[in-house]
Amino acid sequence: MSNQLCEVIVLETSDLHGFLLPRSYADKTEVSYGLARIATIVKEMRGLHPNILLIDNGDCLQGTPLTYYHARINNEPPNPVVACMNELRYDAAVPGNHEFNYGLPYLKEAVEASSFPWLSANIVNEASGEPLFGKPYIVRELKNGLRIGILGLTTSYIPNWEQPQHIAGIRFDDPVETARHWVDVLKRQEQVDAVVVSYHGGFERDPETGGSTEPFTGENVGYAICEQIEGIDVLLTGHQHRAIAGCSINGVCVVQPSNEGRYLGKVTLQFERIEEVWTLKTCESELLSAEEYEPDETVERIAAEVETLTQVWLDQPIGRASGDMTFASHEEARLREHHFVEFINRVQMEVSGADISCTAIFDNQSPGFGKRITMREVVSNYIYPNTLKVLRISGSDIREALEKSAEYFELDERGAIAVSEAYLMPKPQHFNYDMWEGIDYELDIAREKGQRVTKLEWRGQPMRMDQTFDVVMNNYRAGGGGNYSMFRNKPVVKDIAVDMVELLADYIRERGVIEAGVNNNWRVVNSDERRISSHGSEQSGTI
């Protein structure tokens, strides 16, 4: 009998973050990405290949004003993200860390509305020890008898970020050890011919060189999964928003399709059957760019109802700004105090009653506030569903946190202040640089890491390291997110369980007019520039 060949295509989306339609929520301009464009690729691929598996790798339910509107303002219409995924006939989805942001009831409603299973072997019910979403894997058997096992895993680092009430009664087990058990089940009990692991997490090492790319925290263990677990053929990854394809680790074909529907991950598996046994001969991964495809009309139509309601809500005026609160340069706003950053910190202090506050500019697309403030500007600036916590911490904790923030900067080859490569790769982490109000401080980037805080005062006096202070910050940071370990397990003086978007909008509505202003309580300097300038150098020392 002649040998038989079979080709299977695995398609992956990851970190869609609710980006269904190819339009910017900041200014309504057309963009070259989004699920509607990805949908066109998927449907084209289905027309070309009979054996298609479509997997979403997590973080699909949160991230745009549309998803915020549906979760927080009006969830009567069907979930638009799930409805679009149902249309595309996803085979499975893996819950990401942001799936928990709107609470477990909202996530459960999304799961129940899905015509596909949600898989995560290492997210378990704490009481029973059983996988929270039911079966941790699925097996797809083709007409020719070839069997593909798909196992879901999620980063176990979620308790370091998420609101405790959103994950009450849930345990997040180690993905590596969990994979070890379930891959064995797939191979021995299910007798699958290939194992695909979809892991909402990324790589702690460079996929090509194996060199370390981040401090090991357990947030990303993709490399360890490939290196330590036998029997895996494909690892679908995400979480880091990286574009990775065309490489393998320990014989495991890997892929990561960036975020917001910029790429569709594609893995092509070639099998050969010899004497009734299927053998995987080749496996290759690639990325298909969404910008080359027009948006799918059906997906646009499905999303239209909630999208229209969202746009009306976004255009609601809620107040005015007196003075310039827009961002001319996000880089400059992280070097010297900006009106918008001052405003956020002041709001946090007023609503919490804390004397000290810290916040960040989340990305380099934040517009700030124009003269006429709308909900569109609020959600475009505050893109995460954070709440606030007031922690009681020591002066020593504050100094350590400032040193951590100072690591955001480095001196480039010209001796000028620049953003550290560690905060740009593998994905931008501008949200992990905090700026503080209620204290006076100076960071000198010319000094060694850990010694950059050259001034730290409270109420005009040097801050005592053994004194305690009540500090307000978002819940992500309060849980130690961004490797701010000094905040973990500190006493919570106050927990304000209202989204910052709502707090900001209410604050602006109540006052009507927001006055722009700064008190210049902090600055970032380069003492090398001072010394060089005193000798006649023209180097600017700025980003």
Side-chain angles (χ1 to χ4, degrees):
M1 183 177 67
S2 61
N3 296 345
Q4 184 179 354
L5 301 178
C6 181
E7 182 176 85
V8 176
I9 306 293
V10 179
L11 302 177
E12 179 205 8
T13 54
S14 191
D15 300 272
L16 289 170
H17 287 290
F19 216 102
L20 303 181
L21 305 180
R23 283 175 285 281
S24 166
Y25 284 97
D27 56 16
K28 301 183 182 181
T29 57
E30 194 83 0
V31 296
S32 60
Y33 46 91
L35 183 61
R37 294 188 188 275
I38 292 294
T40 301
I41 312 177
V42 171
K43 291 183 177 182
E44 180 180 290
M45 295 291 292
R46 288 195 189 278
L48 295 173
H49 301 277
N51 303 319
I52 296 286
L53 294 173
L54 177 60
I55 313 296
D56 183 77
N57 192 56
D59 281 4
C60 64
L61 298 178
Q62 175 277 337
T64 57
L66 177 141
T67 54
Y68 182 90
Y69 177 85
H70 185 267
R72 292 288 193 242
I73 309 300
N74 177 13
N75 63 4
E76 289 188 6
N79 188 305
V81 177
V82 171
C84 290
M85 293 173 71
N86 286 342
E87 159 66 17
L88 292 176
R89 294 183 288 136
Y90 273 78
D91 289 273
V94 174
N97 50 295
H98 284 289
E99 257 66 74
F100 294 89
N101 286 172
Y102 296 129
L104 204 53
Y106 186 78
L107 174 54
K108 286 183 176 179
E109 287 179 5
V111 171
E112 291 171 0
S114 302
S115 59
F116 48 87
W118 289 68
L119 312 173
S120 186
N122 67 309
I123 299 180
V124 301
N125 183 298
E126 200 166 28
S128 68
E130 296 296 317
L132 185 70
F133 297 92
K135 205 166 186 180
Y137 65 83
I138 59 172
V139 176
R140 288 288 182 260
E141 182 170 343
L142 307 185
K143 292 179 180 180
N144 57 20
L146 191 149
R147 291 165 62 81
I148 307 292
I150 303 164
L151 175 68
L153 298 169
T154 305
T155 175
S156 59
Y157 211 62
I158 291 174
N160 291 285
W161 307 311
E162 192 52 71
Q163 297 272 32
Q165 63 268 29
H166 290 174
I167 55 174
I170 301 174
R171 192 177 76 228
F172 297 85
D173 290 343
D174 175 59
V176 178
E177 292 308 310
T178 303
R180 193 185 309 279
H181 170 75
W182 289 108
V183 169
D184 185 68
V185 170
L186 284 168
K187 299 293 285 187
R188 293 179 182 273
Q189 295 182 22
E190 297 288 358
Q191 296 289 300
V192 299
D193 300 293
V195 173
V196 176
V197 173
S198 186
Y199 165 55
H200 186 80
F203 297 106
E204 69 280 29
R205 298 194 206 172
D206 186 288
E208 296 184 349
T209 67
S212 178
T213 55
E214 60 181 52
F216 184 77
T217 62
E219 177 179 351
N220 300 297
V221 293
Y223 201 98
I225 290 173
C226 294
E227 192 176 46
Q228 298 179 27
I229 310 301
E230 293 298 322
I232 300 174
D233 298 292
V234 178
L235 181 68
L236 310 178
T237 63
H239 185 58
Q240 293 173 314
H241 299 186
R242 300 172 68 182
I244 298 172
C247 58
S248 63
I249 301 170
N250 193 32
V252 180
C253 187
V254 301
V255 66
Q256 188 173 144
S258 190
N259 65 313
E260 296 181 336
R262 285 173 167 78
Y263 297 98
L264 178 66
K266 178 187 176 186
V267 180
T268 303
L269 300 95
Q270 294 281 355
F271 294 89
E272 183 179 19
R273 183 160 68 178
I274 304 174
E275 297 180 354
E276 303 304 317
V277 177
W278 285 106
T279 302
L280 179 61
K281 306 300 290 186
T282 63
C283 184
E284 297 179 351
S285 64
E286 59 185 304
L287 297 176
L288 306 179
S289 176
E291 67 179 349
E292 301 174 12
Y293 295 82
E294 292 298 314
D296 177 73
E297 293 181 358
T298 305
V299 167
E300 291 215 330
R301 177 179 53 78
I302 291 171
E305 179 186 2
V306 180
E307 174 71 11
T308 299
L309 293 170
T310 301
Q311 292 293 347
V312 172
W313 175 69
L314 287 173
D315 286 330
Q316 294 177 4
I318 57 175
R320 295 185 296 111
S322 176
D324 187 3
M325 295 184 72
T326 60
F327 286 106
S329 167
H330 296 89
E331 293 82 1
E332 288 294 325
R334 295 186 181 100
L335 290 174
R336 50 191 61 85
E337 196 164 26
H338 187 275
H339 301 286
F340 182 82
V341 176
E342 175 95 3
F343 167 72
I344 297 295
N345 271 322
R346 289 293 176 187
V347 172
Q348 292 187 173
M349 293 164 76
E350 286 194 35
V351 300
S352 69
D355 292 329
I356 302 173
S357 172
C358 62
T359 191
I361 305 170
F362 293 140
D363 59 27
N364 285 348
Q365 285 73 51
S366 299
F369 288 155
K371 296 296 183 184
R372 176 178 175 270
I373 305 174
T374 64
M375 284 302 303
R376 186 180 304 279
E377 289 182 306
V378 174
V379 297
S380 294
N381 285 290
Y382 214 99
I383 59 177
Y384 299 114
N386 289 335
T387 59
L388 297 178
K389 289 183 185 291
V390 178
L391 299 187
R392 183 155 293 162
I393 60 177
S394 68
S396 177
D397 294 326
I398 293 174
R399 175 178 284 275
E400 187 179 352
L402 288 171
E403 291 289 359
K404 181 63 183 174
S405 280
E407 293 178 9
Y408 176 81
F409 299 109
E410 64 183 10
L411 298 184
D412 64 18
E413 65 278 359
R414 300 177 296 113
I417 298 177
V419 179
S420 172
E421 188 71 15
Y423 284 79
L424 297 174
M425 295 295 292
K427 73 174 181 180
Q429 298 180 52
H430 304 299
F431 52 83
N432 281 330
Y433 169 68
D434 288 339
M435 292 153 283
W436 291 62
E437 191 60 48
I439 59 176
D440 294 279
Y441 66 93
E442 178 179 279
L443 307 178
D444 184 356
I445 309 308
R447 297 173 65 118
E448 294 292 325
K449 290 181 181 179
Q451 302 177 31
R452 290 176 168 178
V453 179
T454 53
K455 174 185 176 182
L456 178 54
E457 295 180 352
W458 183 63
R459 296 182 177 176
Q461 299 295 322
M463 179 174 283
R464 286 173 42 198
M465 295 298 96
D466 60 347
Q467 188 173 354
T468 58
F469 303 87
D470 290 350
V471 180
V472 60
M473 61 190 73
N474 66 53
N475 63 287
Y476 170 78
R477 188 69 79 239
N483 295 321
Y484 282 77
S485 58
M486 71 293 299
F487 296 147
R488 289 180 194 151
N489 303 315
K490 291 299 166 70
V492 178
V493 178
K494 187 180 293 186
D495 189 347
I496 303 171
V498 180
D499 282 1
M500 268 297 286
V501 166
E502 295 177 40
L503 290 174
L504 291 170
D506 289 346
Y507 185 94
I508 295 167
R509 285 194 190 99
E510 289 172 5
R511 286 152 183 80
V513 178
I514 303 302
E515 299 287 343
V518 296
N519 61 356
N520 297 309
N521 65 296
W522 62 268
R523 61 177 181 164
V524 178
V525 301
N526 176 5
S527 60
D528 279 355
E529 180 205 29
R530 294 173 183 168
R531 288 191 291 270
I532 294 170
S533 296
S534 68
H535 289 84
S537 171
E538 296 181 356
Q539 290 183 349
S540 66
T542 60
I543 291 181

